[in-house]
Amino acid sequence: MVGSSHEALHRIFQKDPALLTRALQRVLHVPFPEPTEIAALNVDLTECEPVERRVDTLLRAETDEGTYLLVVESQGKVDERKRGSWPYYLSYLYEKYRCEPVLIVIPQSSSTAKWASQPIRLGFPGWYSLTVRPLVLGPDNVPVIADERQAERDVPLAVLSAMTHGRGPQAPAILESLATALRTIDPDNAAVFVQFVDSCLADAQAKQMWRDLMTAIQYFWRHPLAEQVREEGREQGRAQGRAEAKAEMVLRILEWRGIPVSEDVRERVEACTDPDQLERWAQQAVRASDAQDLFSRQ
C-alpha cells in the first residue's frame, strides 16, 4: 500500500513508465521522442565503496551579495570525463554547503580553453535538466604582463600570466618582468610563486630560462625544489663544471633576451672561473641593454 503522496507521485511512473514521456509531451509540451523501450533501474545511488573525488582548489568567498564556493580546476588537456565530474562536484558542494558553487577552469592552451568553455548540458535538447557553464581563465583572456611596473602592481596576476603564457617568443619578457616584480614582495611568498611558475612551464627552454633568472636573484634556491637541482649539480662534478654552467647561464640569458653576444664577450665570460663574478654577470644580464653592460656596471 502506498503510504504517502510523495510515494505515489513517483511510483505511478513505475507502474506505467511510458506515462512519464507522455506527460512531458502533453503537459509540458516538451517534444521528447517516443521511447522504444523503458526500463526501471535501481533507485539507490549510494556507492558501496568510497570513491575519491577531489577538486584542485576550493575556496569559500563571502560577498555582500552572498556566499560562493569557488571551484578551481586546472585543466591540461581535453578530458570528456569532466562532463560528468564537474556537474557532480557542483551538485555535491551545493548540497553539502548550501552555497552557490562557481566552476573556474584554468587551461594552458587555446584548444583546451575552447573545449572547457563549452556549456555542459545534460538532458533533452532544448529542455536541459542541468546546464554547467564553466568560467575559463586561459591564454585567450588572461592578460600578457610583460612590463615590470605592471607586474609589480599585481604580482599574483603576473604569476598567472607567466603560468598561462610561458611559451613562445613572448616568454622571455613575461618571465623577466615577473622576476623583477618578485623582488618587491615577501621572499617566502616569492619562493612559493616561483614554484607555481616552474611547475606550469611546459616548454623546456622557458623552464630553464626561469630557473636561470631565479638563480640570478637568489629566490629559486629558497624553495625545496632547489634541492633537486642542487643534486643534479652535484652529479655534474667539480667546481669547474659549475663555473662552466654559470657562464653558459649568463650567455643564455643574453641570447634569450635578443641581445647580440660578440665573440670577445663570449670568450671573456667562458674564461671566467669565479662563481661569484659569474653570478653578478647573470644579474646584470637580466637588465642589460648591451652585452658590454656586463662589465661596465661592476
Side-chain angles (χ1 to χ4, degrees):
M1 179 177 180
V2 177
S4 69
S5 60
H6 171 81
E7 287 285 308
L9 285 171
H10 69 80
R11 286 187 60 181
I12 189 174
F13 298 116
Q14 296 176 13
K15 180 67 175 177
D16 183 3
L19 174 61
L20 182 58
T21 58
R22 294 199 303 274
L24 291 176
Q25 295 166 349
R26 301 175 187 178
V27 178
L28 296 180
H29 306 291
V30 175
F32 197 94
E34 195 69 30
T36 58
E37 182 180 356
I38 297 180
L41 302 179
N42 192 336
V43 298
D44 188 356
L45 304 182
T46 304
E47 296 176 347
C48 298
E49 297 181 0
V51 177
E52 182 175 316
R53 291 189 173 94
R54 296 177 183 270
V55 297
D56 291 334
T57 296
L58 180 62
L59 305 173
R60 179 172 179 155
E62 301 282 353
T63 74
D64 293 338
E65 299 179 1
T67 302
Y68 295 91
L69 297 176
L70 305 182
V71 185
V72 184
E73 286 278 275
S74 176
Q75 194 65 29
K77 61 182 180 179
V78 173
D79 184 355
E80 291 299 330
R81 292 176 301 175
K82 296 297 185 179
R83 288 182 53 83
S85 59
W86 283 343
Y88 172 87
Y89 294 160
L90 301 180
S91 299
Y92 174 84
L93 291 169
Y94 180 77
E95 176 64 21
K96 181 175 182 178
Y97 295 101
R98 291 294 167 174
C99 299
E100 300 292 342
V102 179
L103 175 61
I104 302 168
V105 181
I106 305 178
Q108 289 186 272
S109 70
S110 295
S111 60
T112 304
K114 182 178 180 180
W115 165 80
S117 64
Q118 296 175 355
I120 299 171
R121 297 187 175 97
L122 304 180
F124 180 63
W127 302 85
Y128 298 105
S129 300
L130 177 64
T131 300
V132 175
R133 296 178 180 273
L135 300 176
V136 178
L137 294 173
D140 296 330
N141 54 16
V142 171
V144 174
I145 298 181
D147 177 77
E148 294 178 5
R149 293 184 179 179
Q150 187 180 2
E152 290 173 1
R153 284 195 296 268
D154 194 336
V155 175
L157 184 60
V159 172
L160 182 59
S161 175
M163 292 165 66
T164 54
H165 296 289
R167 64 179 65 188
Q170 57 193 350
I174 294 172
L175 298 178
E176 290 165 17
S177 298
L178 177 57
T180 301
L182 289 175
R183 300 171 182 264
T184 66
I185 67 172
D186 174 74
D188 291 331
N189 288 331
V192 174
F193 286 148
V194 166
Q195 170 62 359
F196 286 169
V197 175
D198 190 90
S199 298
C200 285
L201 291 174
D203 182 79
Q205 190 176 42
K207 184 185 287 285
Q208 186 58 54
M209 179 183 182
W210 179 243
R211 291 186 174 185
D212 289 346
L213 289 169
M214 293 303 97
T215 301
I217 63 175
Q218 300 294 322
Y219 280 133
F220 180 73
W221 304 102
R222 297 176 59 87
H223 198 277
L225 176 67
E227 182 58 34
Q228 173 187 342
V229 179
R230 283 196 288 267
E231 185 62 31
E232 293 172 358
R234 295 188 192 103
E235 293 174 359
Q236 291 178 358
R238 302 181 301 274
Q240 180 180 355
R242 291 194 294 270
E244 291 175 355
K246 284 181 177 288
E248 182 181 353
M249 175 184 68
V250 173
L251 298 172
R252 189 161 53 226
I253 291 174
L254 290 173
E255 291 170 354
W256 278 337
R257 296 189 63 222
I259 297 175
V261 178
S262 67
E263 193 61 32
D264 290 342
V265 170
R266 182 178 300 276
E267 290 178 358
R268 182 171 176 181
V269 171
E270 292 178 344
C272 182
T273 58
D274 182 354
D276 293 335
Q277 179 63 71
L278 288 167
E279 187 162 317
R280 286 193 293 271
W281 284 346
Q283 294 176 20
Q284 291 298 122
V286 174
R287 293 176 174 273
S289 57
D290 183 272
Q292 288 295 334
D293 291 345
L294 296 182
F295 317 123
S296 61
R297 301 179 183 179
Q298 298 293 328

